Amino acid sequence: MRVVFLTHNYPRFAGDVSGSFLATLAGGLRERGHAVRVIAPSDQGQVGDPVLDGIPVQRVRYAAAAQETLAYRGTMADAARTPAGAWRAWSLIRALRRAARAALAEGADVVHAHWWVPAGLAAPPGAPLVITLHGTDAGLLQRSALARRLARPLLRRAQVVTAVSAHAADQVTRATGRAVPPSCIQPMPVEVGRYEAAGTGGGGMVAVARLTRQKRIDLALRALSLAPDLPPLAIVGAGPEREGLEALARDLGVEGRVRFLGAVPPGEVVALLQRADLALFPASGEGFGLAAAEAFMAGAPVVACLDGGGVLDVVPASGAGRRVPPTPEAIAGAARELLADAGARTAASAEGGRWRERLSPARVAEACESWYRQACHG
């Protein structure tokens, strides 16, 4: 089958973490004999290589180079609130649609739009269409009446609508009336071969996240300040909140117990998780919570928050994990519990085995095949 991935987020170069799970999915589909073509935005005029890891990638231009900043940064929703940003978003949608129409004219069978906005809105009317909501776009439906007005007719005309977690699926149904059946709830894949061996711990605590307000890494720092007996914390990830978080660590007096590692290659993230005694995941309203599943695959127990959204699909309330209110006191207490629980690491490894199976590229590609057949047959 000839599949078009329509998306605003796809790796720009080898090793880029932006949308890397889509590259993993594209590779899984290719292994099963499907031809995948990706249509994504340019980044500040940079269109990159036309083929990335064997997958053809077309980067569309949608503005002057200096203004092509909507994608790859996690700031599209904020940028689109300004008149200039909204105009650029509309230009991006039109550019993606033109490229998708051309791909369909050349014989593509189905469009798989990742995120309903902007990619879903860019899908040409009449095209066999699968839309996957990845979480942030499902959350937008809860917050914005305009988003709901735009999404309802789009999701009605899509032959298949999928979501990466039960939480995201529920948000879609409540906001738009479009039901997402269990067969269409599927997280995106991971290179599970990296996690063949669970680690032994001994390396302290780790938090893997893009450093934005929604990830609430400040709660992890405050928990650390309340519990001098907790091991040091490594924070993996980059983002606009880093400077403020570093200042907070100094203000709390924990800068000597925290390492800000920035963005690191995926292989190094695996090694850090394998060495971790436990992982902290204090984010709210997650679409899925991939970092928590990755922690389990590396054998590390996880603390998550009760308002974490899709991460509650991943983290159990006992055994390998703890679910707690989003307060520093509760996070510190749960971390102590897991560190003292001799069976937590064994339970985490068992959870990791289940997630390695569910998140394997072949398993997710097989699910996509069924969606594509459904889309193509109406």
Side-chain angles (χ1 to χ4, degrees), residues 4-11 18-23 36-42 57-60 62 71-72 76 92-93 95-97 100 111-123 130 132 134:
V4 175
F5 276 13
L6 201 57
T7 178
H8 70 283
N9 196 23
Y10 195 84
S18 295
S20 58
F21 52 85
L22 294 186
V36 180
R37 172 178 176 177
V38 177
I39 299 172
S42 166
V57 182
Q58 179 183 356
R59 309 277 176 179
V60 299
Y62 62 95
Y72 311 108
M76 181 177 293
L92 171 57
I93 289 169
L96 292 171
R97 180 173 292 175
V111 173
H112 190 164
H114 292 276
W115 293 272
W116 74 263
V117 58
L121 291 175
V130 176
T132 293
H134 290 272

mmCIF file of all heavy atoms in Angstrom, residues 4-11 18-23 36-42 57-60 62 71-72 76 92-93 95-97 100 111-123 130 132 134:
data_model
loop_
_atom_site.group_PDB
_atom_site.id
_atom_site.type_symbol
_atom_site.label_atom_id
_atom_site.label_comp_id
_atom_site.label_asym_id
_atom_site.label_seq_id
_atom_site.Cartn_x
_atom_site.Cartn_y
_atom_site.Cartn_z
ATOM 1 N N VAL A 4 0.744 8.087 2.574
ATOM 2 C CA VAL A 4 1.292 9.426 2.787
ATOM 3 C C VAL A 4 1.149 9.787 4.264
ATOM 4 O O VAL A 4 0.040 9.806 4.799
ATOM 5 C CB VAL A 4 0.563 10.482 1.931
ATOM 6 C CG1 VAL A 4 1.072 11.890 2.273
ATOM 7 C CG2 VAL A 4 0.774 10.200 0.455
ATOM 8 N N PHE A 5 2.270 10.035 4.924
ATOM 9 C CA PHE A 5 2.252 10.622 6.258
ATOM 10 C C PHE A 5 2.190 12.141 6.094
ATOM 11 O O PHE A 5 3.084 12.747 5.483
ATOM 12 C CB PHE A 5 3.527 10.283 7.028
ATOM 13 C CG PHE A 5 3.524 8.959 7.728
ATOM 14 C CD1 PHE A 5 2.568 8.001 7.480
ATOM 15 C CD2 PHE A 5 4.511 8.665 8.665
ATOM 16 C CE1 PHE A 5 2.578 6.774 8.126
ATOM 17 C CE2 PHE A 5 4.540 7.454 9.319
ATOM 18 C CZ PHE A 5 3.573 6.502 9.047
ATOM 19 N N LEU A 6 1.165 12.748 6.625
ATOM 20 C CA LEU A 6 1.019 14.202 6.606
ATOM 21 C C LEU A 6 1.193 14.676 8.044
ATOM 22 O O LEU A 6 0.437 14.268 8.932
ATOM 23 C CB LEU A 6 -0.368 14.561 6.065
ATOM 24 C CG LEU A 6 -0.608 15.962 5.502
ATOM 25 C CD1 LEU A 6 0.352 16.274 4.372
ATOM 26 C CD2 LEU A 6 -2.053 16.091 5.025
ATOM 27 N N THR A 7 2.192 15.526 8.288
ATOM 28 C CA THR A 7 2.531 15.864 9.661
ATOM 29 C C THR A 7 3.304 17.178 9.723
ATOM 30 O O THR A 7 3.918 17.593 8.731
ATOM 31 C CB THR A 7 3.377 14.750 10.302
ATOM 32 O OG1 THR A 7 3.737 15.129 11.633
ATOM 33 C CG2 THR A 7 4.649 14.496 9.511
ATOM 34 N N HIS A 8 3.272 17.810 10.898
ATOM 35 C CA HIS A 8 4.097 19.007 11.108
ATOM 36 C C HIS A 8 5.355 18.673 11.895
ATOM 37 O O HIS A 8 6.149 19.570 12.215
ATOM 38 C CB HIS A 8 3.299 20.073 11.873
ATOM 39 C CG HIS A 8 3.027 19.737 13.307
ATOM 40 N ND1 HIS A 8 2.046 18.842 13.680
ATOM 41 C CD2 HIS A 8 3.619 20.143 14.455
ATOM 42 C CE1 HIS A 8 2.036 18.730 14.997
ATOM 43 N NE2 HIS A 8 2.979 19.498 15.494
ATOM 44 N N ASN A 9 5.573 17.387 12.189
ATOM 45 C CA ASN A 9 6.662 17.018 13.089
ATOM 46 C C ASN A 9 7.257 15.690 12.649
ATOM 47 O O ASN A 9 6.662 14.626 12.871
ATOM 48 C CB ASN A 9 6.120 16.914 14.523
ATOM 49 C CG ASN A 9 7.214 16.927 15.563
ATOM 50 O OD1 ASN A 9 8.311 17.416 15.324
ATOM 51 N ND2 ASN A 9 6.917 16.396 16.735
ATOM 52 N N TYR A 10 8.416 15.749 12.011
ATOM 53 C CA TYR A 10 9.097 14.562 11.534
ATOM 54 C C TYR A 10 10.589 14.864 11.591
ATOM 55 O O TYR A 10 10.997 15.999 11.367
ATOM 56 C CB TYR A 10 8.673 14.219 10.101
ATOM 57 C CG TYR A 10 9.061 12.829 9.663
ATOM 58 C CD1 TYR A 10 8.262 11.738 9.967
ATOM 59 C CD2 TYR A 10 10.244 12.605 8.958
ATOM 60 C CE1 TYR A 10 8.617 10.448 9.581
ATOM 61 C CE2 TYR A 10 10.616 11.326 8.571
ATOM 62 C CZ TYR A 10 9.796 10.246 8.885
ATOM 63 O OH TYR A 10 10.158 8.969 8.512
ATOM 64 N N PRO A 11 11.439 13.879 11.907
ATOM 65 C CA PRO A 11 12.869 14.172 12.037
ATOM 66 C C PRO A 11 13.424 14.932 10.829
ATOM 67 O O PRO A 11 13.139 14.596 9.681
ATOM 68 C CB PRO A 11 13.494 12.782 12.157
ATOM 69 C CG PRO A 11 12.423 11.953 12.784
ATOM 70 C CD PRO A 11 11.138 12.467 12.210
ATOM 71 N N SER A 18 12.754 15.070 17.027
ATOM 72 C CA SER A 18 11.441 15.622 16.684
ATOM 73 C C SER A 18 10.642 14.608 15.864
ATOM 74 O O SER A 18 11.027 14.253 14.755
ATOM 75 C CB SER A 18 11.598 16.915 15.879
ATOM 76 O OG SER A 18 12.207 17.921 16.642
ATOM 77 N N GLY A 19 9.537 14.144 16.435
ATOM 78 C CA GLY A 19 8.690 13.195 15.712
ATOM 79 C C GLY A 19 9.381 11.886 15.388
ATOM 80 O O GLY A 19 9.003 11.205 14.426
ATOM 81 N N SER A 20 10.373 11.503 16.200
ATOM 82 C CA SER A 20 11.154 10.311 15.858
ATOM 83 C C SER A 20 10.294 9.047 15.844
ATOM 84 O O SER A 20 10.578 8.100 15.112
ATOM 85 C CB SER A 20 12.315 10.147 16.836
ATOM 86 O OG SER A 20 11.847 10.044 18.166
ATOM 87 N N PHE A 21 9.204 9.030 16.640
ATOM 88 C CA PHE A 21 8.347 7.846 16.644
ATOM 89 C C PHE A 21 7.659 7.650 15.298
ATOM 90 O O PHE A 21 7.322 6.529 14.920
ATOM 91 C CB PHE A 21 7.319 7.926 17.770
ATOM 92 C CG PHE A 21 6.522 9.203 17.805
ATOM 93 C CD1 PHE A 21 5.394 9.357 17.031
ATOM 94 C CD2 PHE A 21 6.914 10.252 18.630
ATOM 95 C CE1 PHE A 21 4.654 10.526 17.059
ATOM 96 C CE2 PHE A 21 6.185 11.428 18.664
ATOM 97 C CZ PHE A 21 5.054 11.581 17.884
ATOM 98 N N LEU A 22 7.440 8.756 14.552
ATOM 99 C CA LEU A 22 6.847 8.607 13.221
ATOM 100 C C LEU A 22 7.843 7.969 12.260
ATOM 101 O O LEU A 22 7.458 7.182 11.381
ATOM 102 C CB LEU A 22 6.384 9.964 12.691
ATOM 103 C CG LEU A 22 5.242 10.628 13.454
ATOM 104 C CD1 LEU A 22 4.790 11.894 12.719
ATOM 105 C CD2 LEU A 22 4.066 9.674 13.626
ATOM 106 N N ALA A 23 9.114 8.304 12.408
ATOM 107 C CA ALA A 23 10.136 7.652 11.588
ATOM 108 C C ALA A 23 10.209 6.167 11.920
ATOM 109 O O ALA A 23 10.377 5.319 11.028
ATOM 110 C CB ALA A 23 11.484 8.322 11.800
ATOM 111 N N VAL A 36 5.983 4.281 2.082
ATOM 112 C CA VAL A 36 5.602 5.449 2.877
ATOM 113 C C VAL A 36 6.313 6.677 2.339
ATOM 114 O O VAL A 36 7.513 6.651 2.088
ATOM 115 C CB VAL A 36 5.953 5.256 4.366
ATOM 116 C CG1 VAL A 36 5.544 6.484 5.180
ATOM 117 C CG2 VAL A 36 5.285 4.011 4.921
ATOM 118 N N ARG A 37 5.552 7.736 2.197
ATOM 119 C CA ARG A 37 6.088 9.035 1.787
ATOM 120 C C ARG A 37 5.652 10.055 2.833
ATOM 121 O O ARG A 37 4.485 10.068 3.238
ATOM 122 C CB ARG A 37 5.544 9.410 0.410
ATOM 123 C CG ARG A 37 5.870 10.820 -0.057
ATOM 124 C CD ARG A 37 5.306 11.028 -1.441
ATOM 125 N NE ARG A 37 5.486 12.390 -1.927
ATOM 126 C CZ ARG A 37 5.128 12.801 -3.132
ATOM 127 N NH1 ARG A 37 4.556 11.953 -3.975
ATOM 128 N NH2 ARG A 37 5.330 14.048 -3.510
ATOM 129 N N VAL A 38 6.565 10.912 3.275
ATOM 130 C CA VAL A 38 6.278 11.883 4.318
ATOM 131 C C VAL A 38 6.208 13.284 3.723
ATOM 132 O O VAL A 38 7.055 13.675 2.914
ATOM 133 C CB VAL A 38 7.366 11.858 5.420
ATOM 134 C CG1 VAL A 38 7.103 12.935 6.467
ATOM 135 C CG2 VAL A 38 7.432 10.480 6.060
ATOM 136 N N ILE A 39 5.185 14.034 4.121
ATOM 137 C CA ILE A 39 5.065 15.448 3.770
ATOM 138 C C ILE A 39 5.047 16.233 5.071
ATOM 139 O O ILE A 39 4.186 16.008 5.933
ATOM 140 C CB ILE A 39 3.795 15.728 2.949
ATOM 141 C CG1 ILE A 39 3.827 14.934 1.639
ATOM 142 C CG2 ILE A 39 3.649 17.225 2.666
ATOM 143 C CD1 ILE A 39 2.524 14.999 0.853
ATOM 144 N N ALA A 40 6.020 17.122 5.238
ATOM 145 C CA ALA A 40 6.188 17.869 6.485
ATOM 146 C C ALA A 40 6.679 19.272 6.145
ATOM 147 O O ALA A 40 7.095 19.546 5.013
ATOM 148 C CB ALA A 40 7.184 17.150 7.388
ATOM 149 N N PRO A 41 6.653 20.201 7.104
ATOM 150 C CA PRO A 41 7.076 21.566 6.810
ATOM 151 C C PRO A 41 8.588 21.723 6.746
ATOM 152 O O PRO A 41 9.350 20.983 7.380
ATOM 153 C CB PRO A 41 6.518 22.374 7.998
ATOM 154 C CG PRO A 41 5.613 21.460 8.731
ATOM 155 C CD PRO A 41 6.061 20.085 8.443
ATOM 156 N N SER A 42 8.989 22.741 6.023
ATOM 157 C CA SER A 42 10.365 23.216 6.091
ATOM 158 C C SER A 42 10.613 23.818 7.469
ATOM 159 O O SER A 42 9.691 24.220 8.173
ATOM 160 C CB SER A 42 10.580 24.270 5.004
ATOM 161 O OG SER A 42 11.771 24.991 5.211
ATOM 162 N N VAL A 57 11.046 12.064 2.005
ATOM 163 C CA VAL A 57 10.503 13.149 2.824
ATOM 164 C C VAL A 57 10.463 14.428 1.996
ATOM 165 O O VAL A 57 11.495 14.874 1.485
ATOM 166 C CB VAL A 57 11.329 13.391 4.102
ATOM 167 C CG1 VAL A 57 10.694 14.498 4.945
ATOM 168 C CG2 VAL A 57 11.470 12.116 4.912
ATOM 169 N N GLN A 58 9.282 14.997 1.872
ATOM 170 C CA GLN A 58 9.109 16.269 1.169
ATOM 171 C C GLN A 58 8.834 17.368 2.193
ATOM 172 O O GLN A 58 7.849 17.306 2.924
ATOM 173 C CB GLN A 58 7.945 16.193 0.178
ATOM 174 C CG GLN A 58 7.689 17.492 -0.573
ATOM 175 C CD GLN A 58 6.492 17.405 -1.491
ATOM 176 O OE1 GLN A 58 5.876 16.333 -1.630
ATOM 177 N NE2 GLN A 58 6.139 18.508 -2.130
ATOM 178 N N ARG A 59 9.713 18.366 2.260
ATOM 179 C CA ARG A 59 9.520 19.502 3.170
ATOM 180 C C ARG A 59 8.935 20.658 2.368
ATOM 181 O O ARG A 59 9.555 21.145 1.422
ATOM 182 C CB ARG A 59 10.844 19.944 3.787
ATOM 183 C CG ARG A 59 11.648 18.838 4.421
ATOM 184 C CD ARG A 59 11.214 18.506 5.814
ATOM 185 N NE ARG A 59 11.977 17.369 6.331
ATOM 186 C CZ ARG A 59 11.850 16.843 7.521
ATOM 187 N NH1 ARG A 59 10.980 17.350 8.366
ATOM 188 N NH2 ARG A 59 12.568 15.796 7.903
ATOM 189 N N VAL A 60 7.760 21.107 2.764
ATOM 190 C CA VAL A 60 7.088 22.162 2.025
ATOM 191 C C VAL A 60 7.437 23.522 2.627
ATOM 192 O O VAL A 60 7.517 23.679 3.844
ATOM 193 C CB VAL A 60 5.557 21.961 1.994
ATOM 194 C CG1 VAL A 60 5.205 20.649 1.312
ATOM 195 C CG2 VAL A 60 4.948 22.001 3.391
ATOM 196 N N TYR A 62 6.351 27.391 3.435
ATOM 197 C CA TYR A 62 5.069 28.037 3.689
ATOM 198 C C TYR A 62 5.187 29.494 4.086
ATOM 199 O O TYR A 62 4.181 30.178 4.290
ATOM 200 C CB TYR A 62 4.290 27.275 4.765
ATOM 201 C CG TYR A 62 4.951 27.221 6.123
ATOM 202 C CD1 TYR A 62 4.634 28.151 7.117
ATOM 203 C CD2 TYR A 62 5.893 26.234 6.422
ATOM 204 C CE1 TYR A 62 5.242 28.099 8.367
ATOM 205 C CE2 TYR A 62 6.496 26.180 7.666
ATOM 206 C CZ TYR A 62 6.171 27.104 8.631
ATOM 207 O OH TYR A 62 6.783 27.049 9.865
ATOM 208 N N ALA A 71 6.749 24.721 13.309
ATOM 209 C CA ALA A 71 6.906 23.286 13.556
ATOM 210 C C ALA A 71 8.185 22.999 14.329
ATOM 211 O O ALA A 71 9.073 23.839 14.445
ATOM 212 C CB ALA A 71 6.913 22.543 12.224
ATOM 213 N N TYR A 72 8.241 21.784 14.894
ATOM 214 C CA TYR A 72 9.440 21.219 15.518
ATOM 215 C C TYR A 72 9.811 21.830 16.866
ATOM 216 O O TYR A 72 10.789 21.408 17.475
ATOM 217 C CB TYR A 72 10.658 21.318 14.579
ATOM 218 C CG TYR A 72 10.376 20.827 13.188
ATOM 219 C CD1 TYR A 72 10.270 21.713 12.113
ATOM 220 C CD2 TYR A 72 10.171 19.473 12.940
ATOM 221 C CE1 TYR A 72 9.990 21.271 10.843
ATOM 222 C CE2 TYR A 72 9.884 19.020 11.668
ATOM 223 C CZ TYR A 72 9.790 19.923 10.616
ATOM 224 O OH TYR A 72 9.501 19.479 9.354
ATOM 225 N N MET A 76 3.531 25.722 18.454
ATOM 226 C CA MET A 76 2.607 26.106 17.396
ATOM 227 C C MET A 76 1.316 26.707 17.945
ATOM 228 O O MET A 76 0.820 27.721 17.444
ATOM 229 C CB MET A 76 2.285 24.906 16.501
ATOM 230 C CG MET A 76 1.342 25.260 15.345
ATOM 231 S SD MET A 76 1.025 23.874 14.229
ATOM 232 C CE MET A 76 2.645 23.651 13.500
ATOM 233 N N LEU A 92 0.662 27.216 6.132
ATOM 234 C CA LEU A 92 1.207 25.867 6.274
ATOM 235 C C LEU A 92 0.182 24.821 5.872
ATOM 236 O O LEU A 92 0.502 23.860 5.154
ATOM 237 C CB LEU A 92 1.648 25.654 7.726
ATOM 238 C CG LEU A 92 2.057 24.230 8.107
ATOM 239 C CD1 LEU A 92 3.185 23.724 7.222
ATOM 240 C CD2 LEU A 92 2.454 24.177 9.584
ATOM 241 N N ILE A 93 -1.056 24.984 6.308
ATOM 242 C CA ILE A 93 -2.109 24.032 5.948
ATOM 243 C C ILE A 93 -2.265 23.961 4.434
ATOM 244 O O ILE A 93 -2.355 22.872 3.845
ATOM 245 C CB ILE A 93 -3.429 24.425 6.640
ATOM 246 C CG1 ILE A 93 -3.335 24.145 8.142
ATOM 247 C CG2 ILE A 93 -4.618 23.679 6.027
ATOM 248 C CD1 ILE A 93 -4.463 24.738 8.950
ATOM 249 N N ALA A 95 -0.041 24.680 2.131
ATOM 250 C CA ALA A 95 1.137 24.067 1.511
ATOM 251 C C ALA A 95 1.121 22.551 1.680
ATOM 252 O O ALA A 95 1.446 21.795 0.747
ATOM 253 C CB ALA A 95 2.406 24.663 2.121
ATOM 254 N N LEU A 96 0.758 22.086 2.868
ATOM 255 C CA LEU A 96 0.652 20.647 3.085
ATOM 256 C C LEU A 96 -0.417 20.030 2.187
ATOM 257 O O LEU A 96 -0.224 18.943 1.626
ATOM 258 C CB LEU A 96 0.327 20.364 4.557
ATOM 259 C CG LEU A 96 1.410 20.671 5.594
ATOM 260 C CD1 LEU A 96 0.837 20.540 7.001
ATOM 261 C CD2 LEU A 96 2.611 19.754 5.423
ATOM 262 N N ARG A 97 -1.543 20.734 2.019
ATOM 263 C CA ARG A 97 -2.635 20.198 1.192
ATOM 264 C C ARG A 97 -2.210 20.089 -0.266
ATOM 265 O O ARG A 97 -2.507 19.091 -0.934
ATOM 266 C CB ARG A 97 -3.882 21.069 1.331
ATOM 267 C CG ARG A 97 -5.050 20.564 0.483
ATOM 268 C CD ARG A 97 -6.315 21.334 0.769
ATOM 269 N NE ARG A 97 -6.804 21.044 2.116
ATOM 270 C CZ ARG A 97 -7.851 21.655 2.659
ATOM 271 N NH1 ARG A 97 -8.494 22.597 1.988
ATOM 272 N NH2 ARG A 97 -8.243 21.326 3.866
ATOM 273 N N ALA A 100 -0.073 17.067 -0.599
ATOM 274 C CA ALA A 100 -0.846 15.835 -0.457
ATOM 275 C C ALA A 100 -1.664 15.544 -1.703
ATOM 276 O O ALA A 100 -1.775 14.390 -2.137
ATOM 277 C CB ALA A 100 -1.753 15.935 0.768
ATOM 278 N N VAL A 111 -4.047 8.692 3.061
ATOM 279 C CA VAL A 111 -3.358 9.736 3.820
ATOM 280 C C VAL A 111 -3.497 9.414 5.304
ATOM 281 O O VAL A 111 -4.608 9.196 5.796
ATOM 282 C CB VAL A 111 -3.952 11.130 3.528
ATOM 283 C CG1 VAL A 111 -3.343 12.182 4.462
ATOM 284 C CG2 VAL A 111 -3.721 11.510 2.072
ATOM 285 N N HIS A 112 -2.370 9.380 5.992
ATOM 286 C CA HIS A 112 -2.370 9.217 7.446
ATOM 287 C C HIS A 112 -1.913 10.541 8.035
ATOM 288 O O HIS A 112 -0.722 10.880 8.000
ATOM 289 C CB HIS A 112 -1.432 8.084 7.866
ATOM 290 C CG HIS A 112 -1.572 7.715 9.323
ATOM 291 N ND1 HIS A 112 -1.074 6.537 9.846
ATOM 292 C CD2 HIS A 112 -2.168 8.360 10.373
ATOM 293 C CE1 HIS A 112 -1.340 6.484 11.143
ATOM 294 N NE2 HIS A 112 -1.985 7.586 11.485
ATOM 295 N N ALA A 113 -2.862 11.316 8.564
ATOM 296 C CA ALA A 113 -2.572 12.627 9.144
ATOM 297 C C ALA A 113 -2.257 12.450 10.622
ATOM 298 O O ALA A 113 -3.072 11.910 11.377
ATOM 299 C CB ALA A 113 -3.746 13.577 8.955
ATOM 300 N N HIS A 114 -1.094 12.914 11.023
ATOM 301 C CA HIS A 114 -0.678 12.848 12.421
ATOM 302 C C HIS A 114 -0.903 14.214 13.056
ATOM 303 O O HIS A 114 -0.318 15.211 12.629
ATOM 304 C CB HIS A 114 0.775 12.415 12.520
ATOM 305 C CG HIS A 114 0.982 10.990 12.095
ATOM 306 N ND1 HIS A 114 0.790 9.923 12.944
ATOM 307 C CD2 HIS A 114 1.317 10.471 10.878
ATOM 308 C CE1 HIS A 114 1.030 8.800 12.294
ATOM 309 N NE2 HIS A 114 1.349 9.095 11.044
ATOM 310 N N TRP A 115 -1.773 14.237 14.071
ATOM 311 C CA TRP A 115 -2.351 15.423 14.698
ATOM 312 C C TRP A 115 -3.449 15.985 13.766
ATOM 313 O O TRP A 115 -3.247 16.126 12.562
ATOM 314 C CB TRP A 115 -1.327 16.503 15.006
ATOM 315 C CG TRP A 115 -0.322 16.136 16.065
ATOM 316 C CD1 TRP A 115 -0.441 16.302 17.409
ATOM 317 C CD2 TRP A 115 0.982 15.558 15.854
ATOM 318 N NE1 TRP A 115 0.697 15.862 18.051
ATOM 319 C CE2 TRP A 115 1.583 15.399 17.130
ATOM 320 C CE3 TRP A 115 1.685 15.148 14.709
ATOM 321 C CZ2 TRP A 115 2.848 14.853 17.293
ATOM 322 C CZ3 TRP A 115 2.944 14.603 14.872
ATOM 323 C CH2 TRP A 115 3.510 14.464 16.154
ATOM 324 N N TRP A 116 -4.608 16.258 14.360
ATOM 325 C CA TRP A 116 -5.716 16.760 13.518
ATOM 326 C C TRP A 116 -5.448 18.177 13.037
ATOM 327 O O TRP A 116 -5.994 18.585 12.006
ATOM 328 C CB TRP A 116 -7.047 16.658 14.262
ATOM 329 C CG TRP A 116 -7.285 17.663 15.365
ATOM 330 C CD1 TRP A 116 -7.088 17.487 16.695
ATOM 331 C CD2 TRP A 116 -7.785 18.996 15.224
ATOM 332 N NE1 TRP A 116 -7.411 18.615 17.403
ATOM 333 C CE2 TRP A 116 -7.856 19.564 16.522
ATOM 334 C CE3 TRP A 116 -8.198 19.781 14.130
ATOM 335 C CZ2 TRP A 116 -8.305 20.866 16.765
ATOM 336 C CZ3 TRP A 116 -8.644 21.074 14.370
ATOM 337 C CH2 TRP A 116 -8.690 21.606 15.664
ATOM 338 N N VAL A 117 -4.614 18.914 13.770
ATOM 339 C CA VAL A 117 -4.227 20.241 13.341
ATOM 340 C C VAL A 117 -2.706 20.348 13.464
ATOM 341 O O VAL A 117 -2.139 19.956 14.486
ATOM 342 C CB VAL A 117 -4.938 21.327 14.185
ATOM 343 C CG1 VAL A 117 -4.638 21.186 15.690
ATOM 344 C CG2 VAL A 117 -4.565 22.731 13.726
ATOM 345 N N PRO A 118 -2.036 20.770 12.404
ATOM 346 C CA PRO A 118 -2.556 21.220 11.118
ATOM 347 C C PRO A 118 -2.766 20.116 10.081
ATOM 348 O O PRO A 118 -3.440 20.326 9.089
ATOM 349 C CB PRO A 118 -1.463 22.179 10.639
ATOM 350 C CG PRO A 118 -0.197 21.580 11.167
ATOM 351 C CD PRO A 118 -0.570 21.010 12.516
ATOM 352 N N ALA A 119 -2.178 18.929 10.305
ATOM 353 C CA ALA A 119 -2.147 17.938 9.232
ATOM 354 C C ALA A 119 -3.534 17.453 8.839
ATOM 355 O O ALA A 119 -3.837 17.315 7.649
ATOM 356 C CB ALA A 119 -1.267 16.758 9.636
ATOM 357 N N GLY A 120 -4.390 17.168 9.818
ATOM 358 C CA GLY A 120 -5.730 16.709 9.478
ATOM 359 C C GLY A 120 -6.487 17.732 8.665
ATOM 360 O O GLY A 120 -7.148 17.391 7.668
ATOM 361 N N LEU A 121 -6.402 18.996 9.071
ATOM 362 C CA LEU A 121 -7.081 20.052 8.323
ATOM 363 C C LEU A 121 -6.533 20.185 6.908
ATOM 364 O O LEU A 121 -7.223 20.664 6.006
ATOM 365 C CB LEU A 121 -6.941 21.386 9.060
ATOM 366 C CG LEU A 121 -7.703 21.509 10.385
ATOM 367 C CD1 LEU A 121 -7.362 22.833 11.059
ATOM 368 C CD2 LEU A 121 -9.212 21.402 10.167
ATOM 369 N N ALA A 122 -5.266 19.776 6.723
ATOM 370 C CA ALA A 122 -4.645 19.882 5.400
ATOM 371 C C ALA A 122 -4.995 18.725 4.477
ATOM 372 O O ALA A 122 -4.751 18.802 3.266
ATOM 373 C CB ALA A 122 -3.118 19.964 5.556
ATOM 374 N N ALA A 123 -5.555 17.652 5.001
ATOM 375 C CA ALA A 123 -5.866 16.489 4.165
ATOM 376 C C ALA A 123 -6.881 16.854 3.092
ATOM 377 O O ALA A 123 -7.919 17.457 3.389
ATOM 378 C CB ALA A 123 -6.404 15.359 5.026
ATOM 379 N N VAL A 130 -6.924 8.579 7.460
ATOM 380 C CA VAL A 130 -6.762 8.153 8.847
ATOM 381 C C VAL A 130 -6.175 9.337 9.603
ATOM 382 O O VAL A 130 -5.188 9.936 9.162
ATOM 383 C CB VAL A 130 -5.819 6.942 8.962
ATOM 384 C CG1 VAL A 130 -5.583 6.577 10.435
ATOM 385 C CG2 VAL A 130 -6.365 5.750 8.195
ATOM 386 N N THR A 132 -4.647 10.410 13.350
ATOM 387 C CA THR A 132 -4.211 9.998 14.682
ATOM 388 C C THR A 132 -4.016 11.231 15.544
ATOM 389 O O THR A 132 -3.288 12.153 15.166
ATOM 390 C CB THR A 132 -2.901 9.191 14.611
ATOM 391 O OG1 THR A 132 -3.152 7.943 13.953
ATOM 392 C CG2 THR A 132 -2.350 8.918 16.001
ATOM 393 N N HIS A 134 -2.457 12.684 18.914
ATOM 394 C CA HIS A 134 -1.302 12.307 19.731
ATOM 395 C C HIS A 134 -1.343 12.859 21.147
ATOM 396 O O HIS A 134 -0.411 12.630 21.913
ATOM 397 C CB HIS A 134 -0.014 12.742 19.033
ATOM 398 C CG HIS A 134 0.286 11.950 17.801
ATOM 399 N ND1 HIS A 134 1.000 10.779 17.828
ATOM 400 C CD2 HIS A 134 -0.046 12.152 16.496
ATOM 401 C CE1 HIS A 134 1.102 10.294 16.595
ATOM 402 N NE2 HIS A 134 0.477 11.107 15.770
#
